[in-house]
Structure formats: structure tokens, C-alpha cells
Amino acid sequence: MPESLPFELAGGCTCRTVRYRVTREPMIVHCCHCRWCQRESGASFALNALVEAEHVQLVHGELDIVNTPSASGKGQKISRCPSCRVAVWSNYAGGGEAIRFVRVGTLDAHDRLSPDVHIFTASKQPWVVLPDGTPAFSEYYQASRVWPPTSLERRERLRQRNGH
Ligand SMILES: [Zn+2]
Ligand SMILES: [Zn+2]
């Protein structure tokens, strides 16, 4: 999408109490095939768009933030609708509060976003066939090897602002 056009995607939970909008294109879209994401999604992978917190705005409703164990041991905070309990995004210890992992399937037009990288493919279900040409890693990966330069710059700005 050209940088000149305003980017906006709306999304929300199933009961429509929670509505939000994403106002900047994701830095990266992860398709995570780890066992934790398989369990939490009830399916075979999770699709997360990584966007700066200030570009993921709650426009209706409130969020229930649930501290949830994570593979790293540091936990993740999953933001859920208090009524229907659907998860709309989460924050991991690594990115802190600054980066929201938006659950792509909760976007109204989630067809717009497809995975930029497949991670933790060591536990990928064998019937999930990955496309040629999309980077894939058996575990986690180095952003510097995959992210576009503009996304790395955005992450660097977040780090400077948050002092780490
Ligand atoms: Zn809801
Ligand atoms: Zn995962």
C-alpha cells in the first residue's frame, strides 16, 4: 500500500462490544506455529500483526487484560472483550506495552493481511503447507534478517523512546 494513502483497518470482538482501529500498516505479520499459539487459538497457528500501541486504538467498549503464561516464562497480557472473551490483541514481555500483537482474524477485512514470516515451524502441523518465498524459521528469528528497513526504523524509534 502506498505510504501516501491513510492506512486504516477496523476490527473487534464477536459480540461487537469491543471495536478498535489500526491506523498504521503493521511492522510485520507473524504466523506462529508454536504449541502455545495452537492451544490459545484452539487451532494450528496464530496470526498476529505487530503495530505500535498508539496506532491500535480502542474506539468502543473496554478491555479485560488477562495475564497469561507464555513460553518465555515472562507471560503475555491478552486483551479480551469482557463479554464474549474474544482476544483482540496481546502484549508480550519482549515488545512491552509499546507493541501490540493484533489478532489478525479480529479485523473486519483481515484478508488484507497475510503472513510475512512463519515462526516456530518445528511444531507446525504437517498438513499446513507453507508457500515458497515467505521466510520461515524453526523457532524464533532475528528481525534484522526479515523486517523491511522502514519497520526496523519504527522499532528503533520505539526502543529509543522507551529507553531500552
Ligand atoms: Zn465481545
Ligand atoms: Zn506462538
Side-chain angles (χ1 to χ4, degrees), residues 78-89:
I78 303 184
S79 293
R80 294 182 177 277
C81 168
S83 301
C84 71
R85 317 303 295 178
V86 162
V88 289
W89 62 72

Side-chain angles (χ1 to χ4, degrees), residues 30-101:
H30 282 172
C31 187
C32 184
H33 300 264
C34 84
R35 294 288 177 192
W36 294 71
C37 285
Q38 291 178 0
R39 183 170 50 240
E40 285 156 24
S41 65
S44 302
F45 49 78
L47 202 53
N48 288 312
L50 279 63
V51 184
E52 295 94 333
E54 68 261 35
H55 289 289
V56 183
Q57 293 148 358
L58 187 67
V59 293
H60 187 260
E62 288 174 31
L63 291 169
D64 198 358
I65 298 173
V66 182
N67 284 306
T68 307
S70 70
S72 72
K74 295 175 183 166
Q76 67 168 316
K77 293 177 179 170
I78 303 184
S79 293
R80 294 182 177 277
C81 168
S83 301
C84 71
R85 317 303 295 178
V86 162
V88 289
W89 62 72
S90 64
N91 292 81
Y92 284 90
E97 298 297 324
I99 299 178
R100 290 183 171 155
F101 284 59

